[in-house]
Structure formats: C-alpha cells, structure tokens
C-alpha cells in the first residue's frame, strides 16, 4: 500500500474528497475487507522476559485481509484471492508501514465473497506472533475455508524498518467433508459468521478450552436460499511435539503445524420468493447466548439470524428446524444484505439492505412464527437512517461495546455508539447511535461523516482499533475500506472528518 499525499483533505457528508492515509490497488475486484483488532504485539526476547512493561520498542501490526473476486466472462470461472497486508504502529503512533507487496493466498482460488477473523476472547483479546489468528472465508464454489495466519519476522531487531510478513495458510475446507446439498450446482457461499460474539471472559476460555482441541461454529449463507451451521475443531500443536518444527530462516523460531476439521451440523432452506423460488441469503449472523453455559459446555449456539433477497430478516432456532423460522424479525423495502449483532448486548442487532436503510432492532420484540404471516406482525425498528446506498457491511466500533438500551424495552443504554458502514455507491459512512434528549431511550441513528474516495461500490469496511494501553487509555482508531470494480483499498481517519 502507498502513503497518500498530505494535501488531500477530509470530507463531511456535504464536503469534498476525504483524506486517506494509505492506498492499495488489488489485482482483482475487492469484495471484502477484515482487520484484526487489537493488533498483534511484536516483542524482542528481552521485552518478552519483562512482558514489555513500559511498551518501549514494542511494535503493533494490524493484519488486514482483502478478499478478491473476479468473474471470467469468457469461461464463467469465478476466481479470487486473499491478500494479507500488515499495517504497523509503534507505541501510540501510526506509522502506516506496510508490506511492500501483500502476501496472497492463491490467486487461482475460488472467488472470496466474505471473511471473518476469529475472536475467541472478544475483540479485546491480545495476539502475539506465536498465536496470531484464524480466518474463515466464504467462496464462490460454495465452500467455507478456514486458514491460519502465519507471521514471519526475519530479524529480532525491532529498530529495523522492515515489516513482518503475514501469510494465510489454509487448514481445512467444507468441501473436504461433503457438499451441503449436492442437488444444487453452481451455488455461491455469500456470507459467514463465527459464534465468537460476546465471548470476552478469559476465565471461560481457560476452563472450557484448555486442551489443544477447541470447538467453534460457523454459520454460512448461500445463493440457493439455504443456510448451514458447521462445527469447526481447531487442533493446536501445543503439547504435541510431532506437530512442531523449526524455521531456520526465521531465526530458528519454533512453528506449529496446526490443523482444523469442519463438519456440517445443520443445513436448511431459509428464504424464497413467491413460495418456492430460492432467494439469495445475502447475510447471516449468530446471536449470542444470554448466559455463558452454552459456551462453557462448548454447545452449539441456538439462534441464527438471516437476511435474504426476499427483504426479510428471519430468526432461526437450531434446536428445532422441523418448523420454519420461529420469528420474522422485520423487513426492508429491498433485499437484506448485511447483519451485525452487537458485541455484548444479546438483544440488539443492526441490519442493512439494498434500500439504503440501516436499522437497529431488539430481537425480544420479534413477531411470532411463519404461521402468523407477515404484515402487522413485523415490528418497527428502534431506529433507522438512510445511508445513501445499499448497505453491504456493518461494523460496530470495538470500543463502544457497552450495552445499548431503550427504557421501554428494559435494555441498559450507552448514549453514543459508532458504526462503520460500507454503503456501495454511497461510499463509506460513520453512523452514530445516540440517546434521546439525554435520557436512556434510544433517540435515533445519524450519519456523522463519510469517506468518498471510492470510485466504485464500497463492499468492505472495518475498524482499525488500537485497543487500550496499560493505563486504560484508548489508543487511536482508523478505518479501512475497499471497493469492487476499481479494486481499491484505503486506510483513513474518520476522526479527522467533522460531524454535521
């Protein structure tokens, strides 16, 4: 990625082109963008011995995965790649040093339509080079793939200007364990979600997942109107000397040959048009449990939310899929294209659609089952805002993870929360959710700034959050976004844009 010139300036909703800090053009169309936050901490051996008590010399790197997709019109082949960039920061200053060239996981792989980093301890969990992270991707051949991030630091000298190399290595694919529905050919996997939302307790993590086999789940949605839930077992090389080898190039660092197993637990038809025509299920997400018992016992989550081209949001109970959706949460005026559950509030979820509306829902107000039909049973959202383009990605700010609330519904609230939106032709928007007249009632959603440098549909967006330092102070936040036909990815500072 390249550094932007200083003379560029920022924009508000009614202003001129936005300032950006870094810029990259991919080889193929950019379809998704995911940043791991907080960043990976890189320490020298001396700093590891004293646990980097004063943070002197420590460097921080945000792995950014850009999923690419390209349809070859002559052959009909949907190919793609996963490009990994390492964005650097020392202490609290963003230096914006990137790899000279992103590490690409197979430029001939099936097109990448979505991706998610795994956060077993929530977005507040720390990462190191020895245990950097796991990434899941949704592909145009209908598969879900799980990859491991490998970070190589050639030198132990942190004063060096060189940036570690971040690479994704595939561990497993759902295709290795059988297709969900072999009767359907050519279907695409459109979106996915890990069941890690709301899991912030290190105590639960240590008690429930102390072995080298850790069990997670992925929900995935498809172009043939179906949904699926997969079990993902990550097998670590910890305490297994047979899976340990030494990398003599990377300063003799010990590396692991981790593995993963994917098994499909549930698969069902979810959305349709006119009764029996499959409708694309553009998006899905897990809803967190209100208690930690399921997580402690490594039980599959029970609730999945989906949005489809039928303009409906549907709530599913995995414990009883013989009955269709237990609830139709709500609807948009066009296809529902994005969902994002709140990180800590089990009742709040944001949805977006082709109609350009971003809406906030309380799932406790969901209507009854399909037998009650539509119309009057679809409840109103807590708040909504028109973002000026189809909503393709929604991201809560990791720092704003306290509970949202409406006094009438009984959920506690924080007065202001930030949401990042990739709004296709509308560019990228920062939306603020605020209270009503200083009270605890949800007052509404409003667009406070936008990024307008994308020359095509903005499909991917994510926060680059620095976390909190040892004193509890909040480190800086940036945003990253990508767009499709112009193949561009940007890093920009939304705080430099003035609110309306």
């Amino acid at each position: 990625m390249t550094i932007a010139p200083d003379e560029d300036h920022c924009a508000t909703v009614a202003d001129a082109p936005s300032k950006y800090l870094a810029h990259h053009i991919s080889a193929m169309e950019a379809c998704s963008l995911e940043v791991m936050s907080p960043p990976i901490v890189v320490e020298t051996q001396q700093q590891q011995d004293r646990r980097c008590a004063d943070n002197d010399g420590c460097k921080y790197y945000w792995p950014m995965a850009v999923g690419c997709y390209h349809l070859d019109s002559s052959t009909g082949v949907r190919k793609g790649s996963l490009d990994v960039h390492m964005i650097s920061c020392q202490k609290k200053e963003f230096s914006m040093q990137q790899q000279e060239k992103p590490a690409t996981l197979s430029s001939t792989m099936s097109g990448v339509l979505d991706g998610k980093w795994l956060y077993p301890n929530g977005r507040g969990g720390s990462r190191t080079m020895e245990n950097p992270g796991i990434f899941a991707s949704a592909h145009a051949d209908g598969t879900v793939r799980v990859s491991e991030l490998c970070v190589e630091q050639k030198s132990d000298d942190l004063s060096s200007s060189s940036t570690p190399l971040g690479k994704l290595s595939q561990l497993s694919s759902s295709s290795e364990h059988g297709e969900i529905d072999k009767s359907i050919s050519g279907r695409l996997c459109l979106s996915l979600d890990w069941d890690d939302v709301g899991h912030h307790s290190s105590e639960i993590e240590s008690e429930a997942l102390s072995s080298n086999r850790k069990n997670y789940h992925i929900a995935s949605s498809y172009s043939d109107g179906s949904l699926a839930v997969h079990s993902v077992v990550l097998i670590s090389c910890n305490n297994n000397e047979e899976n340990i080898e030494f990398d003599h190039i990377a300063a003799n660092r010990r590396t692991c040959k981790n593995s993963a197993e994917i098994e499909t637990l549930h698969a069902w038809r979810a959305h349709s048009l006119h009764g029996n025509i499959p409708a694309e299920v553009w998006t899905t997400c897990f809803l967190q449990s209100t208690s930690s018992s399921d997580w402690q016992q490594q039980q599959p989550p029970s609730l999945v939310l989906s949005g489809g081209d039928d303009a409906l949001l549907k709530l599913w109970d995995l414990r009883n899929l013989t009955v269709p959706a237990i609830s139709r949460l709500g609807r948009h005026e066009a296809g529902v294209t994005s969902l994002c559950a709140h990180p800590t509030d089990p009742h709040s979820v944001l949805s977006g659609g082709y109609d350009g509306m971003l809406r906030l829902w309380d799932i406790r107000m969901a209507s009854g089952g399909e037998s009650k039909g539509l119309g009057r049973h679809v409840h109103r959202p807590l708040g909504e805002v028109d973002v000026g383009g189809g909503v393709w990605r929604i991201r809560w700010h990791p720092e704003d993870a306290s509970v949202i609330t409406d006094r009438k519904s009984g959920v506690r609230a924080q007065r202001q929360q930030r949401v990042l939106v990739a709004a296709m032709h509308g560019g990228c928007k920062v939306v603020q959710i605020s209270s009503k007249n200083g009270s605890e009632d949800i007052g509404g959603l409003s667009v406070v700034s936008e990024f307008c440098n994308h020359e095509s549909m903005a499909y991917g967006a994510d926060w680059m959050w620095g976390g909190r330092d040892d004193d509890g102070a909040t480190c800086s936040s940036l945003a990253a976004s990508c767009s499709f036909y112009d193949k561009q990815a940007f890093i920009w500072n939304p705080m430099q844009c003035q609110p309306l």
Side-chain angles (χ1 to χ4, degrees), residues 318-370:
L318 300 180
R319 295 165 294 190
N320 184 14
L321 286 174
T322 59
V323 178
I326 64 169
S327 175
R328 295 190 178 194
L329 177 62
R331 67 179 304 150
H332 283 253
E333 298 306 313
V336 180
T337 49
S338 187
L339 293 168
C340 192
H342 191 273
T344 58
D345 181 357
H347 310 296
S348 298
V349 64
L350 286 166
S351 70
Y354 280 126
D355 58 3
M357 301 301 296
L358 178 71
R359 289 175 172 160
L360 174 65
W361 307 89
D362 184 336
I363 65 168
R364 295 171 300 177
M365 300 171 64
S367 61
E370 292 216 12

Side-chain angles (χ1 to χ4, degrees), residues 269-292:
R269 297 293 182 188
H271 291 257
S272 62
L273 294 168
H274 309 296
N276 57 3
I277 301 175
E280 289 92 342
V281 187
W282 294 114
T283 181
T284 187
C285 70
F286 284 109
L287 297 180
Q288 72 180 80
S289 173
T290 55
S291 68
S292 62

